[in-house]
Amino acid sequence: MSKTITYFFEESAKKNKDRIAFNHFDGSWKSLTYGDFFLLSEGIAFFISKFVNKEDRVAIVSENRPEWCAAYMAIVMCNCIAVPIDMQLGSEEIKNVLIDSESKAIFYSLKTEANVLKAIEGTNIKGINLDATNFLDIKSQQSIIKADQDQIASIIYTSGTTGKPKGVMLTHKNFCSDAESVIKAGVISSDDNILAILPLHHTYPFMCTFLVPIFIGATITFSPGLKATDIITTIKEKGLTIVVAVPRLLEMIR
């Protein structure tokens, strides 16, 4: 069995087609099933396959949302390398990461649009607005080349607190082996509902509030805001069973 993110995702999507993959707030609570999440990811993959090649780097600068996750899955489905970037960075910092990683394209949202467009101005980097295209309508007969487990899945940039941010290359096997270890530990099951509030560009929340839940068919819930009241209301209303947090977040809730 090849330990790739794409393999585990496809297997889970088939097995859990009608289960809820995501709860997210957009004026009101909305849900996305595993079946629809796979179709969304596939649609984005078909969209970017027209202008990216194997092992091209594609960045994501967006708030936590189902489309962030679908964009990531689409990148690896195209056998490309994802470059998640902190949405809090300014345009110059974003540009530095894009140039250093040699990214060919970048996904952004309405919230990050201004900084991203400024960052890619005068470059050949293609910007893709997650809020401007209905990716579910995109179909293709083109077969998507599957990645090998030893190929790079992500380039994760350090925070740069002690110097210039550095890109860390992680393979599909790196991520999948970690995910398998968490799953084998038995701390999460397919019946769990996980709060995804920590930024997904960090490897800890990426693993614990995205990859692991998706691999086992659990539900991921995005809070409508970062205020303690928003978080507590979300925990109660959506029946959350796991909150992946850092001390600062727990202190805020207390």
Side-chain angles (χ1 to χ4, degrees):
M1 182 184 69
S2 181
K3 291 186 178 182
T4 66
I5 292 169
T6 311
Y7 171 81
F8 284 112
F9 173 42
E10 289 182 349
E11 289 299 302
S12 180
K14 289 176 192 172
K15 182 180 177 182
N16 303 293
K17 183 180 178 182
D18 297 320
R19 290 176 69 95
I20 300 298
F22 297 99
N23 293 312
H24 60 108
F25 195 85
D26 184 14
S28 60
W29 282 106
K30 293 179 171 58
S31 297
L32 191 69
T33 65
Y34 272 85
D36 285 340
F37 176 51
F38 183 82
L39 290 175
L40 176 60
S41 302
E42 194 175 52
I44 298 175
F46 289 144
F47 178 81
I48 65 173
S49 66
K50 300 169 188 172
F51 53 83
V52 296
N53 298 309
K54 177 183 175 182
E55 296 184 16
D56 276 352
R57 287 86 188 273
V58 182
I60 311 173
V61 184
S62 166
E63 68 278 13
N64 286 8
R65 55 191 292 185
E67 291 83 1
W68 192 108
C69 301
Y72 184 92
M73 287 302 188
I75 293 167
V76 295
M77 286 168 84
C78 286
N79 207 353
C80 291
I81 299 166
V83 184
I85 300 176
D86 186 352
M87 69 170 289
Q88 302 295 334
L89 295 182
S91 57
E92 198 59 37
E93 294 167 303
I94 293 172
K95 186 174 184 178
N96 289 339
V97 172
L98 293 175
I99 292 171
D100 185 75
S101 63
E102 299 179 351
S103 291
K104 295 289 193 300
I106 180 169
F107 286 99
Y108 62 89
S109 67
L110 288 175
K111 290 183 179 179
T112 60
E113 182 177 29
N115 275 339
V116 169
L117 293 183
K118 191 174 179 182
I120 64 176
E121 189 177 355
T123 72
N124 292 321
I125 300 169
K126 183 176 179 62
I128 308 160
N129 189 339
L130 291 169
D131 291 303
T133 308
N134 186 354
F135 297 104
L136 280 170
D137 287 343
I138 300 171
K139 306 295 178 189
S140 174
Q141 299 303 315
Q142 181 179 344
S143 60
I144 295 172
I145 302 168
K146 300 295 172 63
D148 180 81
Q149 65 180 15
D150 293 317
Q151 286 180 242
I152 299 165
S154 297
I155 300 177
I156 306 293
Y157 277 81
T158 60
S159 59
T161 51
T162 57
K164 186 180 177 182
K166 297 175 181 65
V168 179
M169 297 182 179
L170 297 171
T171 66
H172 282 263
K173 190 174 181 179
N174 289 149
F175 284 120
C176 294
S177 295
D178 278 358
E180 283 182 308
S181 296
V182 175
I183 292 167
K184 284 177 183 176
V187 293
I188 179 175
S189 76
S190 59
D191 294 325
D192 278 310
N193 187 347
I194 297 94
L195 178 68
I197 194 164
L198 300 178
L200 289 171
H201 70 275
H202 285 302
T203 51
Y204 172 49
F206 175 81
M207 176 62 62
C208 297
T209 67
F210 175 32
L211 276 197
V212 170
I214 288 297
F215 285 1
I216 65 170
T219 298
I220 299 163
T221 297
F222 295 113
S223 172
L226 299 177
K227 294 179 181 177
T229 50
D230 290 330
I231 298 168
I232 292 167
T233 301
T234 300
I235 290 171
K236 290 177 179 177
E237 286 188 4
K238 305 313 292 182
L240 289 162
T241 57
I242 295 178
V243 176
V244 176
V246 291
R248 186 180 173 189
L249 177 61
L250 296 174
E251 181 66 30
M252 184 173 71
I253 294 173
R254 186 175 72 170

